[in-house]
Amino acid sequence: MTSRCPAEIGDPVSEIDTPALIIELDAFERNLDRMADLARTSNIRLRPHAKTHKSPTIAHMQIARGAVGVCCQKVGEAEVMVANGVKDVLVSNQIVGARKLRRLAALAKQAHIGVCVDNAENVADISAAAQDAGVEIDVLIEVCVMRSRCGVLPGEPTVELAKAISAADGLRFAGLHAYHGRAQHYRSHEERKDAIAEASREVNETIDLLRQAGIATEIVTGAGTGTVEFEAGSGVYNELQAGSYIFMDVDYAKNLDDKGNPVSSYEHSLFVLATVMSVPTEDRAVCDAGLKALSVDSGLPIMNDDEKAEYVGASDEHGTLRVKSAANPLRLGEKVKLVPGHCDPTVNLYDWYVGVRNGRVEALWPVAARGAVL
């Protein structure tokens, strides 16, 4: 059941009910344009990750700027995207189980569908589902470039799995998925650069081995917001999967550029709007955005206006704010903007985006794939 919308078009920000997930549209649109420009000038495909926003509305805005489609992590996310007119979806994850594979194959009747694998048994199961549905599904091998999650080792293990895919009915070997998740959050420019250079080397050697085996590698896809510049310039990757760039969050803002300064390519555009609900002491206030309104897996949110207060603690329904000066207090009923520590799981807590421009509500978009974990 979708929750009550927290605002109406035309409302001033002061009248938005809270906690609310708000997008500052000017910054958001600049972020969309910057990534689209990077892909275009690098002559590389952009397939942004919809797990960040879970919104067909935003997916279509990305596609209108040149994206070839989107990535999803779950079949349920892909179903929402396809049902709302997104015609090219890569499920950049392993999908296991007959029920899920039937749903995946059914999507391939309506859109161009790809999926990732790292296991020959899974390849056989996807092949059976595709044949039963009378469809063809693109299959990419997930190459384990970070050695800590899913994936096949680069080199001969990848070649052997590619042979199995190429021989399977109903499947088309489409290429390699090589995403270095940990590198997204390496703080120094050199650490991120070196990690992607090593991943690119391993992938390039694997492409050579595939070529020797007579197997063409059409797509090499990967990259995230923290490393996208390196994949774009690698000469190996030809598709980018960055997702968080549209919103940014506290964690990504900790990454440093080659001069040791915070990376400034993309702006904070996503905020949780909260209301001060209690002022127990002159140095402490409490807002209505706690653990059920903000993900704290990557740390606490920060105050957008950090001159007045600091967010120092979260419980289920409360956020504790440390007021910095009695001369500049927070007042009961005052609205505060919080930058989430991690944007993706924070988005998944909400039913609505409230798009704001010039202090007023301009757009209301459903978070249509919220909770799509199957």
Side-chain angles (χ1 to χ4, degrees):
M1 178 178 175
T2 302
S3 66
R4 182 188 301 274
C5 188
E8 295 182 3
I9 301 295
D11 281 351
V13 170
S14 61
E15 292 184 10
I16 298 173
D17 207 357
T18 63
L21 192 65
I22 68 170
I23 297 176
E24 291 286 353
L25 292 171
D26 286 339
F28 168 73
E29 290 167 2
R30 286 191 292 268
N31 288 343
L32 287 174
D33 291 339
R34 285 177 184 132
M35 186 62 74
D37 288 345
L38 173 66
R40 185 166 46 253
T41 57
S42 302
N43 193 28
I44 195 167
R45 291 155 47 110
L46 177 61
R47 184 185 292 278
H49 223 308
K51 76 179 178 69
T52 295
H53 54 70
K54 292 179 168 282
S55 165
T57 302
I58 294 176
H60 283 295
M61 295 174 76
Q62 293 170 314
I63 291 167
R65 286 167 168 81
V68 297
V70 298
C71 291
C72 293
Q73 286 295 84
K74 301 288 187 172
V75 177
E77 287 178 348
E79 286 170 333
V80 171
M81 294 297 149
V82 171
N84 286 276
V86 177
K87 295 300 184 184
D88 194 327
V89 177
L90 169 63
V91 181
S92 52
N93 204 359
Q94 284 67 40
I95 302 302
V96 175
R99 185 187 297 271
K100 285 188 176 70
L101 291 177
R102 285 195 297 270
R103 290 164 52 207
L104 183 76
L107 284 178
K109 294 181 177 181
Q110 307 169 61
H112 184 254
I113 299 296
V115 68
C116 291
V117 301
D118 65 0
N119 182 282
E121 184 179 345
N122 191 211
V123 169
D125 291 341
I126 298 170
S127 172
Q131 291 178 76
D132 286 346
V135 298
E136 183 177 72
I137 297 174
D138 276 5
V139 177
L140 293 87
I141 296 174
E142 178 158 4
V143 182
C144 186
V145 293
M146 65 176 177
R147 307 293 198 272
S148 65
R149 204 162 64 182
C150 303
V152 179
L153 289 174
E156 288 297 342
T158 298
V159 174
E160 290 306 307
L161 191 56
K163 290 176 180 176
I165 296 166
S166 299
D169 292 333
L171 307 185
R172 187 181 80 91
F173 175 66
L176 305 178
H177 173 266
Y179 173 66
H180 200 313
R182 286 190 310 201
Q184 306 312 310
H185 309 286
Y186 291 164
R187 297 309 173 201
S188 81
H189 181 271
E190 284 303 311
E191 282 182 295
R192 298 194 304 279
K193 180 180 178 181
D194 290 348
I196 301 310
E198 177 63 14
S200 298
R201 182 191 63 78
E202 291 183 338
V203 171
N204 206 32
E205 290 177 356
T206 302
I207 292 170
D208 284 342
L209 290 173
L210 286 164
R211 186 182 302 114
Q212 292 169 29
I215 301 172
T217 307
E218 177 185 329
I219 298 169
V220 179
T221 185
T225 297
T227 64
V228 65
E229 63 184 297
F230 305 120
E231 283 94 347
S234 68
V236 176
Y237 289 79
N238 58 16
E239 187 174 275
L240 306 175
Q241 294 182 5
S244 298
Y245 73 94
I246 59 172
F247 295 147
M248 298 304 286
D249 53 31
V250 174
D251 189 76
Y252 266 121
K254 294 176 182 176
N255 284 0
L256 304 177
D257 65 17
D258 57 351
K259 296 180 175 60
N261 300 314
V263 174
S264 58
S265 302
Y266 302 95
E267 307 169 55
H268 292 309
S269 69
L270 184 81
F271 304 89
V272 171
L273 188 69
T275 300
V276 176
M277 58 187 290
S278 176
V279 188
T281 66
E282 67 177 18
D283 65 348
R284 186 175 79 252
V286 181
C287 71
D288 60 358
L291 296 173
K292 293 181 182 178
L294 290 150
S295 173
V296 299
D297 63 295
S298 295
L300 294 174
I302 60 173
M303 297 276 292
N304 189 54
D305 179 8
D306 63 359
E307 294 181 1
K308 295 189 76 169
E310 179 184 5
Y311 193 107
V312 294
S315 53
D316 281 0
E317 309 291 356
H318 303 87
T320 302
L321 309 174
R322 182 181 64 82
V323 179
K324 294 186 175 181
S325 171
N328 192 18
L330 287 170
R331 303 188 185 281
L332 194 69
E334 184 173 346
K335 295 289 199 298
V336 294
K337 284 168 60 179
L338 306 171
V339 182
H342 189 180
C343 55
D344 295 18
T346 295
V347 165
N348 198 47
L349 297 172
Y350 290 86
D351 287 322
W352 294 95
Y353 289 111
V354 181
V356 172
R357 201 187 314 265
N358 298 324
R360 289 194 173 270
V361 176
E362 181 178 304
L364 297 168
W365 304 329
V367 186
R370 177 192 178 182
V373 297
L374 296 180

